[in-house]
Amino acid sequence: EERTLFAGDYIWINRMCCNFEFDRRPIAQWIASIKSLETLDFDVLINSHYESGTKADLIAYREWLEDLQAAVSAGIKQGKTVEELQKTIRLDKYKSWVGYDQQLPGIIASAYANLTKYPPR
């Protein structure tokens, strides 16, 4: 009735999260689970921290994960080190997100560790 989705500590809105660690499950699994949430009929997205959002924010977060996965996967296929990827991956589409400059290098390292442990199929 309220058309509200609660996704605590799972989806962040316009924010790079410093605590987000990919190494507990494959990035592809995060993306797939977000796609399943996109099929739900809701207007308001509430997370446990920071601001609330909409379905469009959920989609933007999934796109961010897909873009990150694609960029890091491409670097791995080219034989680049995590340090090289941290220097070259920018993902400027998300530059306005809170924590972009501070968190992006750590998120790239986390994605690198995840994608070498769980390569996309």
Side-chain angles (χ1 to χ4, degrees):
E1 210 172 278
E2 300 297 324
R3 299 179 51 81
T4 301
L5 174 68
F6 291 88
D9 286 339
Y10 181 50
I11 306 296
W12 292 272
I13 297 167
N14 300 320
R15 174 177 296 275
M16 302 279 162
C17 184
C18 57
N19 296 321
F20 192 71
E21 290 293 331
F22 293 112
D23 57 359
R24 295 184 190 136
R25 66 190 50 88
I27 292 173
Q29 189 176 19
W30 280 92
I31 293 167
S33 67
I34 293 169
K35 284 181 179 180
S36 70
L37 293 177
E38 290 174 23
T39 67
L40 300 175
D41 189 22
F42 68 93
D43 297 318
V44 178
L45 170 65
I46 297 177
N47 57 19
S48 55
H49 304 288
Y50 316 112
E51 71 256 25
S52 297
T54 65
K55 186 177 274 193
D57 294 310
L58 178 76
I59 292 167
Y61 192 74
R62 186 227 339 126
E63 290 172 346
W64 142 250
L65 291 176
E66 290 172 336
D67 291 346
L68 176 66
Q69 178 181 332
V72 174
S73 292
I76 291 169
K77 285 179 184 172
Q78 294 168 1
K80 293 185 178 181
T81 66
V82 66
E83 293 81 12
E84 290 172 315
L85 295 179
Q86 288 171 313
K87 290 177 185 174
T88 58
I89 294 175
R90 300 295 357 126
L91 300 173
D92 288 332
K93 177 178 173 183
Y94 308 97
K95 194 171 182 90
S96 66
W97 286 18
V98 174
Y100 174 88
D101 290 324
Q102 301 85 2
Q103 304 303 330
L104 187 59
I107 290 170
I108 290 168
S110 183
Y112 184 93
N114 180 272
L115 289 165
T116 53
K117 185 175 181 179
Y118 308 107
R121 297 174 195 220

